[in-house]
Amino acid sequence: MSENTKGNNFIEQLIVDDLNQNYSSDQLRFRFPPEPNGYLHIGHVKAICLNFGLGKKFQAPVNLRFDDTNPVKESKDFVDAIKKDISWLGFQWDKEVYASDYFEQLFEWALELIDKGLAYVDSQDSEAIASQKGTPTRAGTESPFRNRSTAENRTLFEEMAAGKHEEGSHVLRAKIDMASPNMLLRDPVMYRILFEPHHRTENQWFVYPMYDWTHGESDYIEQISHSLCTLEFKPHRELYDWFLNTLEPLKGLRPKQREFSRLNLSYTVTSKRKLAKLIEKGIVAGWDDPRMPTISGLRRRGYTPASLHKFVTTAGISKRENVIDVGLLEFCVREHLNEIAPRLHVVMNPVKLTITNFPEKLVEEVVGDLNPEDSSAGSRNIPFSKHLYIEKEDFKEEANRKFFRLTIGKEVRLKNAYIIKGESVIKNEKGEITEILCTYDPESKSGSGSAASQRKVKGTLHWVSQPHAQPIKVNLYDRLFLHESPDKSEQDFMDCINPDSHVVTTAYAEPYIKNAEKEDTFQFQRIGYFTVDPMSTNSSLVFNKTVGLRDSWSKK
Ligand code: ATP
Ligand code: MG
């Protein structure tokens, strides 16, 4: 980085300024610190792109640190899923580290605070401690155990660590100030007793450090230059500073903490606790259900890393809380898939269409571009015959002038093929249309260069040849919540669930679909983008709807 370079957001600018003043570029180090208690979600994508993006921009290392201080909720499976998701987004971490790597060091430092008279064992239960916290305007009450002797504190804490005391019987607290205007400084708990094996340290510990005691120290141990976190951690800064100041003389670089706003998305919940509840209650099939806002869910749904990068870059990094319209996320994936997805004819809701003047046995091959946005994509042949399927909704016996699809007596073009004219219909005894009869203009073939091929008609329909149609299983997905802000609605978020967020159907595709492989994405023309579910088997591929071609919700 040269001097005076401008940052793209306030955090980049801070780093540029630091480099221009008193930091050298080899001091820069960032980290992304997930707690392995669930899968990463779209909010995390923002924090990942920020930290790893800074690493790329300033050519500095980025650690992946698992904040694994709560063995009750954490697991190796979550660790693995998190690593997979970050790699899929295209980022590489420098070191894979764990807060649990520092349990020994943290324990030593806790003893140091005890020896300095700045930490004590409190033998009250959690309700009693909570009741003494006070309020922002009223000081808290000091614990009756606050003035235990150093020797007693040390013995008790060592016994706690050795598993000699029951869960809940004691905690270790920092001795700061029960009247501090910052509630977090009112003698925060540093350790609690947990008889729970840890996915890494196994049965080594019976006390586990609290997040606030661990987080700032871990940043310091790793010599993170800029510790970036979401706004709710702003008041924690003072506590992290207190811990590091009391452990003086520490000689290393002090991490500089800066806060940015969380990414909130309309029609979505992102708290891991709430996502876990959706799974627990069977609303979704798991963390990677394609309706989940998790990275794994979005991947299964057909989102690309590029579309997620574009989304968080467009949403930006700011200091103010806001809610981003989920339409922006959908727009970003639609734009990217428009560039890369091959086009296919797929009929979702078929009705038979017979071309009465087309020879019965003839199968003609017509040619369709695979991607008009990308000339290198080439084309495919599509079989055309007397017996076709079109979408039911593309035909009306009688329609007003605004209906640009097929009606009796009017012409439309069949995409990549001929112009046809509606002639009559066949109905069943209930009066429902079972077949549409039409005629075609043999001179009007697309791309043939004839005068009739240039003839303009109002509508173009997609179609498939009946004898060649490939039935495919399709998962149609819609938003999981009906309420724009399920977190803030009057109802509980569990009461705003869209009952139609997942519909399974069979659709009919042109034969080119046989080339599809897992995770391939296609544009089903005039319908939307669909991705082969990576969890489906090769012998029966399932297509997940990623997004429609247009924002259908904007009209609702
Ligand atoms: P959740 O509320 O979803 O459980 P969390 O903050 O507890 O999230 P962590 O695993 O602790 O989840 O988060 C790891 C990092 O990702 C933290 O630095 C956190 O600030 C950041 N992060 C989490 N959620 C968001 C979000 N919605 N927007 C931006 N950053 C986020
Ligand atoms: Mg957290």
Side-chain angles (χ1 to χ4, degrees), residues 31-48 51 65 67 82 211 215 228-233 260-265 270-275:
R31 89 286 176 265
F32 172 65
E35 182 182 354
N37 62 347
Y39 278 45
L40 298 178
H41 53 62
I42 185 72
H44 292 116
V45 177
K46 175 173 176 175
I48 292 168
N51 286 296
R65 182 199 321 135
D67 260 320
I82 288 170
Y211 181 85
H215 190 75
L228 309 171
C229 53
T230 35
L231 286 175
E232 70 272 22
F233 288 101
F260 61 95
S261 62
R262 286 179 92 80
L263 187 139
N264 302 305
L265 203 57
T270 48
S271 135
K272 278 179 274 184
R273 185 180 56 78
K274 291 181 178 166
L275 296 178

Side-chain angles (χ1 to χ4, degrees), residues 34-36 64-80 83 95-104 196-205 208 214 218 222:
E35 182 182 354
L64 170 58
R65 182 199 321 135
F66 291 97
D67 260 320
D68 54 348
T69 52
N70 184 3
V72 180
K73 296 222 167 120
E74 297 160 3
S75 76
K76 166 92 167 56
D77 287 349
F78 290 139
V79 168
D80 293 342
K83 284 162 60 176
K95 293 189 190 129
E96 176 183 332
V97 283
Y98 293 81
S100 54
D101 296 339
Y102 316 133
F103 282 177
E104 206 77 56
E196 187 80 34
H198 185 281
H199 62 102
R200 295 189 76 246
T201 60
E202 297 175 350
N203 295 310
Q204 193 187 337
W205 295 95
Y208 288 94
T214 314
S218 303
E222 289 169 27

Side-chain angles (χ1 to χ4, degrees), residues 45-183:
V45 177
K46 175 173 176 175
I48 292 168
C49 288
L50 174 64
N51 286 296
F52 284 95
L54 291 170
K56 274 193 178 161
K57 175 155 187 159
F58 295 97
Q59 295 181 351
V62 184
N63 288 353
L64 170 58
R65 182 199 321 135
F66 291 97
D67 260 320
D68 54 348
T69 52
N70 184 3
V72 180
K73 296 222 167 120
E74 297 160 3
S75 76
K76 166 92 167 56
D77 287 349
F78 290 139
V79 168
D80 293 342
I82 288 170
K83 284 162 60 176
K84 184 174 164 196
D85 287 345
I86 298 173
S87 302
W88 178 76
L89 283 174
F91 295 116
Q92 277 174 339
W93 48 91
D94 181 44
K95 293 189 190 129
E96 176 183 332
V97 283
Y98 293 81
S100 54
D101 296 339
Y102 316 133
F103 282 177
E104 206 77 56
Q105 172 70 78
L106 290 166
F107 187 74
E108 290 302 318
W109 276 338
L111 288 173
E112 188 184 322
L113 290 186
I114 290 175
D115 290 343
K116 285 182 168 163
L118 292 172
Y120 62 97
V121 172
D122 194 338
S123 307
Q124 304 180 99
D125 60 25
S126 55
E127 287 81 25
I129 292 175
S131 72
Q132 293 160 359
K133 267 257 133 138
T135 67
T137 49
R138 186 169 50 79
T141 313
E142 293 188 354
S143 161
F145 298 97
R146 200 171 195 260
N147 294 317
R148 269 184 162 139
S149 71
T150 299
E152 192 184 356
N153 280 322
R154 207 176 221 282
T155 309
L156 272 171
F157 186 51
E158 280 174 340
E159 284 173 4
M160 285 160 65
K164 297 203 173 131
H165 295 279
E166 293 291 302
E167 272 187 22
S169 58
H170 309 281
V171 290
L172 184 75
R173 296 176 72 178
K175 191 170 177 178
I176 309 180
D177 179 5
M178 286 305 289
S180 171
N182 183 343
M183 302 276 288

